[in-house]
Amino acid sequence: MKQRVSVLGSTGSVGANTLDVIARHPDRFEVFALSAATKVDLMLAQCAQFRPAFAVMASEPHGRELADKLKAEGLPTQVMSGQRAIDEIASHESVDVVMAAIVGAAGLESCLAAARAGKKLLLANKEALVVGGELFLEAVKSGGAKLLPIDSEHSAIFQSLPEDPATWNARVEKIILTASGGPFRTRAVATLRNVTPQEACAHPNWVMGRKISVDSATMMNKALEVIEARYLFGLQPDRLEVVIHPQSVIHSMVQYRDTSVVAQLGTPDMRVPIAYGLAWPERIESGAQALDFMSLADMTFESFDSRGHRERFPGLQLAWESLAAAPGTTAVLNAANEVAVAAFLDERIRFDQIHSVNLATLGTVAPSKPASLDDLLALDAQSRAAANAAIGQLR
């Protein structure tokens, strides 16, 4: 039988790549539902190609616009709007697989809905774990969901670990996440204050959305990935390491107790982890180019403690500090960073002030352990208010 897929965030880069992989395997997958925020015309084109039963827009006005255009084209897709509708297509009884690719904390609620409904959940939204933490993992466990990471690094780790999760702690020495270093790996620290949004979004290896591109440029993306790895794989934070690997060929590694290292290699193309997640435990054609080892440049590695990287990327250390702090601190960090990155992209703060906003927010908000989704949403709102206040004090 075909697997019926809901793609949450279908007009983003991960969502579009997911649909590309699905289109290559019409005998295996069927698009049941799509969701997007504001890109009505792209959603219209996706509905015309894949004929989903449902299309959800984040807001009512965008939903009405899409419905009018679908009607004009004679397309039968039913349009819904708002968070409740997104949750509905994530948990619908007809859905087998949910691709969670909504950017930021906005994707948390629908991820929880899919987890509680016991879906095969392909997690491209790292913030669901960074914000949701143990609450999200409990939803996965109680709902009987299968959680598969889609971030290239976490997919690589998952592919490199033993099949039995119960053995991970005993057999694994440490997890090594690789980082490209982004566009500013060799840039003088003193010049980072002059970075423009256009420069920050020009990643040397990956084609990504604006927010995640800025996170890669500050290496906050890697900090969030460290937090995600802590929750996904259960190892203590001191057994999580980051190594800078500019070529982005090795996507991450697992070092075992006997010092053997198992790594996953591939071209920097998100269709590879997406195809792996969709077909797991099988493997299918992804559309990505295979590695040509004969033409590869030398692969190099740099310690985070070398070449001034600790000064260049001060946000990375916040991962371990947040994990060691009170429960809920990682949610505070995520909210602060989302607000700070948005302010930078709007040219309201400098690139080097993103870290200042994150630090100020962490110093202002003292979380208590979130016990429910409402607690998480309240903490997120409190943290965003504190981050905006911090921005208002910057010059």
Side-chain angles (χ1 to χ4, degrees):
M1 291 181 61
K2 292 183 181 181
Q3 295 185 64
R4 289 161 295 190
V5 185
S6 284
V7 183
L8 312 183
S10 66
T11 59
S13 60
V14 172
N17 277 315
T18 300
L19 293 176
D20 181 90
V21 174
I22 288 174
R24 296 170 186 275
H25 302 277
D27 57 323
R28 299 183 64 116
F29 305 106
E30 173 185 333
V31 176
F32 176 78
L34 303 172
S35 85
T38 61
K39 296 179 181 178
V40 171
D41 288 338
L42 181 51
M43 175 64 92
L44 176 67
Q46 291 177 346
C47 289
Q49 180 178 0
F50 294 97
R51 304 295 179 105
F54 299 99
V56 179
M57 301 301 295
S59 75
E60 189 72 34
H62 289 102
R64 287 196 298 269
E65 182 182 352
L66 176 63
D68 290 343
K69 291 187 175 184
L70 285 169
K71 184 177 180 180
E73 296 290 332
L75 295 170
T77 298
Q78 180 179 337
V79 178
M80 301 187 293
S81 303
Q83 183 62 55
R84 182 173 296 181
I86 298 173
D87 296 348
E88 183 176 336
I89 64 169
S91 58
H92 197 285
E93 62 181 3
S94 297
V95 173
D96 303 302
V97 182
V98 176
M99 169 57 77
I102 296 174
V103 176
L108 172 62
E109 189 169 335
S110 53
C111 284
L112 283 168
R116 289 167 178 154
K119 303 304 181 183
K120 179 180 176 182
L121 179 54
L122 311 185
L123 190 66
N125 174 289
K126 64 177 64 65
E127 292 84 359
L129 272 169
V130 172
V131 176
E134 297 294 341
L135 191 68
F136 179 71
L137 291 179
E138 180 56 36
V140 171
K141 182 179 179 181
S142 63
K146 179 60 186 178
L147 184 63
L148 295 168
I150 299 301
D151 270 353
S152 62
E153 295 82 359
H154 300 92
S155 176
I157 294 163
F158 183 70
Q159 294 178 58
S160 301
L161 284 166
E163 288 188 10
D164 184 2
T167 70
W168 291 351
N169 191 61
R171 296 175 63 184
V172 172
E173 181 67 26
K174 63 181 176 180
I175 286 172
I176 305 168
L177 293 100
T178 56
S180 69
F184 307 134
R185 180 178 62 87
T186 61
R187 182 157 173 161
V189 175
T191 69
L192 292 176
R193 63 181 289 122
N194 302 319
V195 165
T196 67
Q198 183 178 5
E199 290 175 316
C201 291
H203 196 283
N205 299 340
W206 297 90
V207 177
M208 304 179 292
R210 281 162 61 81
K211 194 269 181 182
I212 194 172
S213 294
V214 174
D215 282 346
S216 181
T218 62
M219 278 190 69
M220 268 304 301
N221 192 46
K222 204 57 52 178
L224 298 177
E225 288 173 8
V226 168
I227 296 168
E228 183 182 8
R230 165 70 183 99
Y231 288 118
L232 273 173
F233 306 118
L235 270 64
Q236 291 299 312
D238 61 359
R239 293 165 66 186
L240 304 174
E241 184 178 318
V242 172
V243 171
I244 294 178
H245 169 49
Q247 294 80 23
S248 295
V249 173
I250 296 176
H251 296 303
S252 276
M253 300 172 271
V254 174
Q255 181 175 312
Y256 285 80
R257 297 290 189 182
D258 62 359
T259 73
S260 298
V261 177
V262 177
Q264 187 264 339
L265 286 69
T267 51
D269 190 320
M270 281 304 298
R271 290 177 296 179
V272 176
I274 289 168
Y276 181 75
L278 281 168
W280 182 89
E282 301 176 49
R283 290 183 183 265
I284 57 175
E285 190 266 332
S286 67
Q289 290 188 341
L291 280 176
D292 179 1
F293 287 95
M294 298 303 102
S295 64
L296 278 180
D298 291 339
M299 291 193 291
T300 59
F301 304 89
E302 301 166 9
S303 166
F304 179 60
D305 292 316
S306 68
R307 303 193 178 199
H309 291 322
R310 194 168 288 275
E311 293 73 32
R312 189 175 288 110
F313 305 117
L316 179 59
Q317 188 59 35
L318 295 179
W320 289 272
E321 294 177 9
S322 296
L323 285 168
T329 302
T330 57
V332 176
L333 174 61
N334 180 75
N337 186 64
E338 287 190 19
V339 170
V341 170
F344 166 69
L345 289 171
D346 290 342
E347 300 185 16
R348 292 186 286 121
I349 64 172
R350 300 193 311 265
F351 179 79
D352 63 323
Q353 291 178 322
I354 294 174
H355 182 61
S356 300
V357 173
N358 292 341
L359 282 180
T361 307
L362 287 168
T364 301
V365 179
S368 56
K369 184 176 181 179
S372 65
L373 175 60
D374 287 343
D375 288 349
L376 286 172
L377 295 177
L379 179 58
D380 181 77
Q382 180 187 3
S383 303
R384 289 173 189 275
N388 279 308
I391 289 170
Q393 295 173 3
L394 291 174
R395 294 186 179 182

